[in-house]
Amino acid sequence: MPPQKTEWRSIYVGTFVGFLATVQMSAFIPTVWPYLKIIDPEISETTFGMIRGMSAFGGVVSSACSGYISNKLSDTKPCLLVEKVLVIFAAFLYLTIEIVPKGWGLIIFTVYECLIGVAMGLSSVFRTHVAMSSTEADRPRAFGITMLAISLGFLVGSLFQMTLSFLPYPGIPIAFGIRLSLYTAPIIFGIGNSVIGFILLSTFYDGKMRVPPRKQPIESTSETNKMIEQTDSDAGSGSSGTDHPVSTIGYDKMAVVICILTKTALDAYMTMMMSIGNPYTMTTFELSRQESVKLNSSMMAATGFFSLLFSVGYGIFNFGKRLPERIAVTFGLSLVFGCIVATYPFPFLSQTISYEHPIGTPAIYDQSAAKELLSTNENVTIDTELIGCSINYAWCQTTHKIDLIVYIVTQIMVFGIATPLMMVNLDILYSKILGPIKQGVLQAVFMVFGQILHIVGPVVITTLYAETGPTYIWILSGVLLFMALGMFTGNYKRMISFTKRVEDKTVLTDLVMT
């Protein structure tokens, strides 16, 4: 049977710890690319993609290992505690970037990203805990509460970063050469959050994995009883349908695969935006480093607000009982695909992307003219901040510029509505499909497939972006999402919970055999 009651205390504790981590992460993300350009002005998007790929590789390995370890120990707590220790160590390492000799900053940042990737993989076991410590009836609310914390964390973190964006760089001296700036404040804040999280997890969190028995009675419905009576009649049996034992069956492997591939398609889009989103917005909309931080923080704040509304609906008003998971996933996929189409750089758009030029000077749309101007302009030095597309990219003069408002609105719709809606419902549906088993390893598999994309995806995407621009990347993402939508809707009827699968198939199959 499912757990007799949901372990709400541990879910609340883990969710609050996740909220603290999300606040730090959402305040940090908008600063990454601008800060890297300060650490190493010559860094390319491809190098950034390689760093993100190494981070994701650490996440894949640690996620797989944490799922196996949790299953062996029947406890998710050890992995979460190790994750907090890693985050604290990585944060202190990050703060040394500006005090180490020149040339070491990028190396330290790479090590930091790898450690954070490992920590993220370890933290994935909390999803397993939520799935196994909640009853099937409470699971939508349980996952909704975790999503509520993430959404609120993104909102709070974005607002926090917006207040920090007015801090001048290099910032206010603190100690040992470390300064408080819009680039370091999220990390300093994150150290305190991680310490609090470690204390809460070690004191109040019970990560034990409790597996309900697989054999369970099924509540009879009028429709099921009618089918049972008809089967009894056909078989010449004089016994009633309710006297038949219920045998157990395995989970639907095809439904599991479809859930994984659907999540992978969403992860592919998220990988694309994480890899080139910040460079793309700075290039396309001619943003300075500080303007980029402000814009991305504002977008994340708006995203967090809309995501928060959905999460409140699931976590407090129990929308999960009113909106079936299959419908929610289908709607989410359709919305993301629509936004991909809306932001494609169609040739009929009036303006192309301008090349880099000093702030306050006229935009240049021809690559040769931009190169000549930069080489002959005596006012342009190595410290001059340029805005626009790199003069090394020939595709800028033929790639059309999308509207800034359209881009902002679609990104908010994707990450504020579609993504949280899909993530929470895929989590619920996947855990229900697996049923009453130790889900540690299979939950890790669910996470790993998407994380594998984060290994190779950033390198492939940033390389393709450097060579051809956003056009083919948008096409590839659109094709993957369209295929996922077709696959999910084509197998719509089999995307049901283990309990429903038993009720619909197993009882009747056993009776026919009898």
Side-chain angles (χ1 to χ4, degrees), residues 261-271 336 419 422-423 481:
L261 294 180
T262 301
K263 184 178 182 299
T264 301
L266 179 63
D267 282 337
Y269 180 81
M270 296 176 69
T271 301
V336 179
T419 300
M422 283 186 63
M423 288 179 67
L481 286 164

Side-chain angles (χ1 to χ4, degrees), residues 269 273 281 285 295 298-300 302-304 306-307 335-336 338-340 342-343 402-419:
Y269 180 81
M273 295 310 302
T281 54
F285 306 117
L295 175 64
S298 301
M299 288 173 59
M300 289 182 70
T303 294
F306 284 101
S307 180
L335 185 57
V336 179
C339 289
I340 280 281
T343 54
I402 64 174
D403 184 76
L404 176 59
I405 300 300
V406 171
Y407 179 80
I408 291 174
V409 170
T410 53
Q411 292 308 298
I412 292 173
M413 290 175 66
V414 167
F415 291 103
I417 299 175
T419 300

Side-chain angles (χ1 to χ4, degrees), residues 24-266:
Q24 186 267 329
M25 181 181 67
S26 59
F28 173 72
I29 289 175
T31 70
V32 174
W33 179 251
Y35 194 38
L36 281 178
K37 296 296 285 184
I38 293 175
I39 296 171
D40 183 358
E42 300 300 319
I43 188 173
S44 66
E45 288 87 349
T46 302
T47 302
F48 181 48
M50 293 176 64
I51 295 173
R52 298 308 300 265
M54 287 188 285
S55 175
F57 177 76
V60 167
V61 174
S62 63
S63 182
C65 291
S66 63
Y68 176 79
I69 292 170
S70 296
N71 265 15
K72 283 294 183 181
L73 299 177
S74 293
D75 195 349
T76 60
K77 186 174 182 176
C79 291
L80 293 179
L81 292 177
V82 173
E83 178 256 335
K84 288 304 168 191
V85 173
L86 279 179
V87 170
I88 293 171
F89 175 75
F92 278 111
L93 185 66
Y94 185 90
L95 293 177
T96 67
I97 286 178
E98 292 186 343
I99 61 178
V100 297
K102 189 175 181 180
W104 280 86
L106 189 59
I107 296 174
I108 290 177
F109 178 82
T110 303
V111 175
Y112 166 83
E113 280 287 306
C114 291
L115 289 174
I116 292 299
V118 172
M120 292 286 286
L122 291 173
S123 67
S124 65
V125 298
F126 181 61
R127 295 175 61 262
T128 304
H129 175 73
V130 174
M132 297 190 64
S133 64
S134 60
T135 64
E136 189 169 298
D138 286 338
R139 201 161 301 155
R141 184 181 172 214
F143 275 110
I145 289 172
T146 62
M147 184 59 66
L148 173 62
I150 293 173
S151 303
L152 187 60
F154 268 104
L155 179 59
V156 174
S158 301
L159 295 175
F160 176 57
Q161 179 53 253
M162 290 170 67
T163 62
L164 297 174
S165 63
F166 297 99
L167 279 175
Y169 181 80
I172 304 168
I174 301 177
F176 308 108
I178 298 173
R179 295 173 177 269
L180 178 67
S181 69
L182 74 163
Y183 304 116
T184 59
I187 300 298
I188 296 172
F189 180 70
I191 293 174
N193 282 356
S194 297
V195 171
I196 294 172
F198 184 89
I199 294 172
L200 291 174
L201 288 171
S202 59
T203 307
F204 300 106
Y205 178 77
D206 178 11
K208 296 295 183 183
M209 299 170 67
R210 299 173 177 86
V211 184
R214 291 176 61 83
K215 290 187 178 183
Q216 51 187 315
I218 299 177
E219 295 180 3
S220 297
T221 62
S222 57
E223 181 180 355
T224 303
N225 288 334
K226 287 179 182 178
M227 291 188 288
I228 291 173
E229 290 169 3
Q230 180 63 45
T231 306
D232 288 339
S233 175
D234 293 342
S237 171
S239 61
S240 66
T242 56
D243 292 331
H244 288 280
V246 177
S247 63
T248 58
I249 60 174
Y251 55 84
D252 188 333
K253 294 179 176 60
M254 178 58 72
V256 167
V257 170
I258 292 170
C259 281
I260 292 173
L261 294 180
T262 301
K263 184 178 182 299
T264 301
L266 179 63

